[in-house]
Amino acid sequence: MQDHLHGAARGEAGQAYETDVIIVGAGPVGLFAVFELGLLDLRCHLVDVLDRPGGQCAELYPEKPIYDIPALPIVTGQELTDRLMEQIKPFSPIFHLNQMADALERLPDGKFKLRTELGTTITAPILCIAAGGGSFVPRKPKIEGLEAFEGKSVHYAVRKMDRFKDRDIVIAGGGDSALDWVLNLQPLAKSTTLIHRRDDFRAAPHSVAKMRALVAEGKVRLEISDLKGLAGADGALSAVVCETKDKGRYEIPCNELLAFYGLTMKLGPIANFGLNLNENLIPVDTQKFETSEPGIFAIGDINTYPGKLKLILCGFHEAALMAQGAFKIARPGERLVFLYTTSSTDLQKKLGVA
Ligand code: FAD
């Protein structure tokens, strides 16, 4: 698979980690925060429910050009993400992807312990919320009795490819995620069926061409049909029920359904982190971008203050000032010296260019 992390390290699900700053959200603003914090020697772990960094830029408009990033007259959402990943490389952040930041606890020593839905815990003196419009959550198929199969044989993400080894899988959807997983899981699965309601796919043309080649070779079954129901018992799927005008209702035997119907954004568990909220946004000061809770900062689209603009440019500025505030808490008693990257050999050493 494509390395969306550009070689950056992934945390192991279920493990306990300790660091200087936990960043919730690996959108453009969370990524740039790693750079600003890194210049001050603060190490970061990032958590995102998506399977790749880039937030809205990578998920909602990877190929659309952005025209208002300073000094980059035109850059696509994906290119901006890739450049940010390149820029933060010297600071070796650890990414915990595919997992929702679920619960937050303040420990007796004042540090924060963040728990993800996969049981990973990260402890740090600073929490930086860069959660944008909230977490991306999957749009679900409108099928009666769906809940009984969810998490057992109906999935909205692939956490471990091995899970689908030698299984009869049905993938539903017509976008990039659906086609990517058809191409990646087909060699592992016992059988692979792709269901889409029309013979027209939103996914990248080269993925569509590869899928059609696999269909021509008889390695993938393509059904242009509506997904209408599920058959099985105790959460174990035995078939999906499809319907077309010509054929009426019919079943496709399978053990696993992966539905990729796109994502919507919801504030999610952050609403329970004990912070003051204003219409699902987190109010902050404009000196440090700190929230109502000392040590918790909020930057990017998730925060609100008088004059706030939901622009990437503004999030970058907020990240720089947040880092200064975070340093004072994470390194009490240490002096913070203001330095330029152009002239400080100390900063250049950290960047690996001196
Ligand atoms: P996001 O990009 O929203 O990233 C937040 C991340 O946090 C997400 O990946 C989400 O999954 C994750 N997250 C949230 N909660 C949790 C949780 N509990 N656990 C785990 N992960 C979580 N801006 C511009 O400046 N110029 C433009 O031209 C421009 N064009 C745009 C075009 C479109 C179509 C859209 C939709 C937006 C555009 N924007 C533009 C806005 C820009 O994309 C946002 O301002 C920017 O993405 C905000 O970055 P962020 O890092 O704050 O949040």
Side-chain angles (χ1 to χ4, degrees):
M1 286 190 80
Q2 199 187 331
D3 177 20
H4 295 289
L5 284 184
H6 295 248
R10 277 174 202 273
E12 223 175 286
Q15 296 299 308
Y17 294 91
E18 190 139 9
T19 188
D20 293 319
V21 183
I22 309 161
I23 302 178
V24 175
V29 177
L31 294 179
F32 191 64
V34 173
F35 183 83
E36 290 295 332
L37 291 159
L39 289 180
L40 306 183
D41 281 331
L42 296 175
R43 294 162 304 134
C44 302
H45 281 231
L46 298 103
V47 180
D48 205 301
V49 70
L50 295 178
D51 66 355
R52 62 196 67 187
Q56 296 176 47
C57 299
E59 192 58 40
L60 300 181
Y61 57 102
E63 296 188 349
K64 270 200 179 143
I66 310 171
Y67 300 100
D68 56 353
I69 303 296
L72 293 176
I74 174 168
V75 64
T76 66
Q78 189 56 51
E79 280 165 0
L80 179 68
T81 305
D82 292 341
R83 283 170 181 252
L84 286 165
M85 288 300 291
E86 200 57 39
Q87 193 168 22
I88 64 176
K89 234 181 198 168
F91 303 115
S92 310
I94 311 287
F95 286 82
H96 304 269
L97 299 178
N98 258 326
Q99 47 201 304
M100 184 83 88
D102 227 7
L104 183 69
E105 186 188 342
R106 174 87 84 159
L107 300 175
D109 65 0
K111 286 189 177 169
F112 299 101
K113 185 172 180 181
L114 183 89
R115 182 176 291 277
T116 77
E117 59 179 333
L118 297 185
T120 309
T121 61
I122 314 169
T123 305
I126 304 293
L127 175 69
C128 174
I129 302 179
S135 52
F136 283 97
V137 289
R139 273 200 194 96
K140 300 181 178 184
K142 292 192 177 79
I143 293 177
E144 218 174 290
L146 182 71
E147 301 74 29
F149 296 91
E150 283 180 322
K152 295 176 181 151
S153 54
V154 170
H155 317 266
Y156 307 109
V158 176
R159 308 256 192 241
K160 282 211 155 87
M161 283 176 51
D162 251 14
R163 166 80 181 70
F164 301 97
K165 196 164 180 240
D166 300 326
R167 307 290 285 166
D168 292 307
I169 65 171
V170 167
I171 295 179
D176 281 312
S177 296
L179 274 277
D180 276 0
W181 287 118
V182 165
L183 302 181
N184 285 295
L185 293 178
Q186 177 276 320
L188 277 182
K190 188 167 159 205
S191 71
T192 310
T193 303
L194 173 63
I195 301 179
H196 188 40
R197 66 199 142 81
R198 52 173 196 274
D199 199 3
D200 178 25
F201 294 86
R202 292 186 318 280
H206 63 270
S207 303
V208 178
K210 279 189 194 160
M211 177 274 290
R212 291 202 190 280
L214 290 171
V215 172
E217 288 172 42
K219 292 182 176 165
V220 168
R221 172 175 169 188
L222 174 61
E223 288 289 321
I224 305 304
S225 190
D226 283 326
L227 182 61
K228 287 291 186 189
L230 306 174
D234 301 327
L237 207 56
S238 59
V240 294
V241 182
C242 295
E243 187 178 55
T244 67
K245 263 194 192 145
D246 301 338
K247 290 195 218 168
R249 286 202 171 209
Y250 61 102
E251 290 193 354
I252 301 175
C254 66
N255 323 117
E256 313 284 350
L257 168 67
L258 296 113
F260 296 108
Y261 285 4
L263 300 162
T264 54
M265 293 182 91
K266 281 199 181 139
L267 180 59
I270 289 168
N272 307 321
F273 281 9
L275 300 168
N276 286 347
L277 293 177
N278 181 358
E279 295 184 359
N280 276 348
L281 297 169
I282 305 176
V284 288
D285 66 61
T286 49
Q287 185 191 351
K288 309 183 293 298
F289 299 92
E290 200 169 18
T291 66
S292 56
E293 198 50 39
I296 304 185
F297 297 78
I299 55 175
D301 278 14
I302 193 77
N303 74 14
T304 179
Y305 53 85
K308 167 74 182 181
L309 288 179
K310 287 189 183 182
L311 285 176
I312 296 165
L313 159 77
C314 299
F316 287 171
H317 157 81
E318 294 162 13
L321 296 199
M322 173 280 297
Q324 306 276 313
F327 180 89
K328 288 179 187 137
I329 297 172
R331 302 275 188 269
E334 282 186 37
R335 207 161 65 91
L336 185 57
V337 184
F338 177 76
L339 298 167
Y340 287 127
T341 54
T342 39
S343 41
S344 158
T345 44
D346 183 32
L347 292 186
Q348 288 163 7
K349 269 187 203 147
K350 291 178 195 176
L351 292 167
V353 294

